[in-house]
Amino acid sequence: MNRRTLTTASVTGIGVAALALAGCTSTAPSSGGDEDVSTLQKIQDEGSITLAIASEQPYSWVDESDEPTGATIAMHKEIFSALGVDNIEVEEVAWDNLIPGLNAGRWDAVSAGMSITPERCEEAAFSDPEIMYTTTLAVPAGNPDGLTDLDSVLATDGDVKLAVQSGAIEDGYVESLGGYDNIIQVDTISSGIENIQAGRADALALTAVSLDWMTKDMDDVETTGPFVQEIDGVKQIGAGATVFRPADSELLDAYNEELAKITGDEQSYLDLVEPFGFSAENLPPADLTTEQLCAGDLEDFQ
């Protein structure tokens, strides 16, 4: 795993020692040894927070200059600075390890645009919705199999080899649709795209903004267009958010208060995320709540 450091003044690609945290409760040792300090107080005292990312562009990744960047990084720079935390350390980890590592105390929050789902809400606490998403398929140029969505993949009865990112929402969609026998599990988006380029996969399912961003300059791979997957007649309306430990309610509340200043003003939101390919369509509606998404209550958004 790699650790990078981001400050509100600049982004510096430097390695640092692993951060040791005690347990996965709402308290953590401060620099002065006080073990009854909340995570919010700890990061404010230290002026630093550690975020885990899964290197999914354009949400959060480390660029060619070894600098953390992306839409969620831009939001977090703004939000945590307002909370008095000017230093952000970023650790790149596999998607499946984001929540387990968070709950094990290896980092303070997850900055990956992670979709809010009932299953994940049982394991972690999500901020208010930050980024709406749709799904798309990356396919070989020309879309030789004529694919449009996951239903079109399943309709091939296994003739299409589908790549999905292990633990990602699209992996869950396939399972909810009854499963599919011809699947390749990949750890990263780059690996999924490489499988298509090498002919080892016929399609890769992931969020549209990510695949559009990563394939925009490719001649041999294209995307099929955004879609909202339906499962049992229900459109899977969803949003990504920042993830915290369940016990860190003080940090979560403070974060949501600052987040509302961004999502409550369209231009403020666009100023942060538009450079990374997001638009006003990605701004969550004011009446969409984390509680609804955690409960799987999507009826009002059909």
Side-chain angles (χ1 to χ4, degrees):
M1 293 181 289
N2 297 317
R3 184 76 61 82
R4 306 296 198 282
T5 299
L6 168 70
T7 68
T8 57
S10 63
V11 183
T12 307
I14 59 174
V16 298
L19 180 66
L21 297 178
C24 55
T25 68
S26 61
T27 60
S30 69
S31 56
D34 184 354
E35 295 187 0
D36 191 25
V37 175
S38 71
T39 300
L40 175 60
Q41 188 63 57
K42 177 187 74 71
I43 65 174
Q44 289 176 327
D45 289 346
E46 297 176 355
S48 181
I49 186 170
T50 302
L51 303 176
I53 67 173
S55 296
E56 180 177 346
Q57 301 180 24
Y59 293 94
S60 53
W61 79 101
V62 176
D63 66 17
E64 294 178 354
S65 300
D66 209 31
E67 298 179 344
T69 187
T72 62
I73 294 296
M75 283 194 288
H76 288 150
K77 179 179 177 181
E78 183 90 359
I79 290 169
F80 288 115
S81 176
L83 294 177
V85 181
D86 290 335
N87 183 65
I88 294 177
E89 294 179 355
V90 173
E91 187 160 333
E92 299 172 277
V93 300
W95 183 269
D96 283 348
N97 292 335
L98 291 172
I99 290 179
L102 173 68
N103 288 330
R106 297 191 184 106
W107 33 82
D108 302 308
V110 173
S111 173
M114 182 176 284
S115 303
I116 306 169
T117 68
E119 296 77 17
R120 290 171 180 165
C121 291
E122 293 179 359
E123 300 177 349
F126 284 78
S127 72
D128 291 336
E130 296 174 337
I131 298 176
M132 302 298 292
Y133 65 84
T134 54
T135 306
T136 195
L137 302 175
V139 295
N143 193 9
D145 294 298
L147 302 174
T148 56
D149 56 15
L150 289 173
D151 292 307
S152 68
V153 173
L154 271 59
T156 67
D157 294 325
D159 289 341
V160 165
K161 186 170 290 186
L162 176 67
V164 294
Q165 187 174 21
S166 179
I169 190 70
E170 294 76 23
D171 193 7
Y173 287 166
V174 173
E175 183 177 347
S176 296
L177 289 167
Y180 188 68
D181 292 333
N182 202 359
I183 279 186
I184 298 175
Q185 297 277 349
V186 297
D187 293 330
T188 64
I189 305 174
S190 296
S191 176
I193 293 174
E194 289 167 3
N195 272 278
I196 293 174
Q197 293 172 317
R200 293 188 296 267
D202 302 305
L204 167 66
L206 207 71
T207 54
V209 68
S210 295
L211 287 182
D212 287 343
W213 178 275
M214 294 189 68
T215 62
K216 62 183 178 180
D217 296 324
M218 295 182 178
D219 296 327
D220 53 351
V221 178
E222 65 183 55
T223 56
T224 59
F227 61 89
V228 177
Q229 185 62 46
E230 288 193 17
I231 297 175
D232 295 330
V234 178
K235 293 180 180 178
Q236 300 303 296
I237 307 296
T242 300
V243 193
F244 300 90
R245 284 183 286 273
D248 283 336
S249 57
E250 185 182 6
L251 174 57
L252 175 61
D253 290 344
Y255 181 92
N256 279 337
E257 184 175 347
E258 295 302 325
L259 173 63
K261 299 175 184 177
I262 297 172
T263 56
D265 181 80
E266 182 176 307
Q267 191 56 53
S268 295
Y269 183 78
L270 292 176
D271 287 346
L272 294 173
V273 304
E274 199 169 34
F276 303 99
F278 295 89
S279 70
E281 293 181 356
N282 298 111
L283 178 62
D287 57 347
L288 178 65
T289 69
T290 295
E291 289 72 23
Q292 289 170 310
L293 294 168
C294 283
D297 182 11
L298 304 176
E299 297 299 329
D300 290 341
F301 298 94
Q302 297 302 300

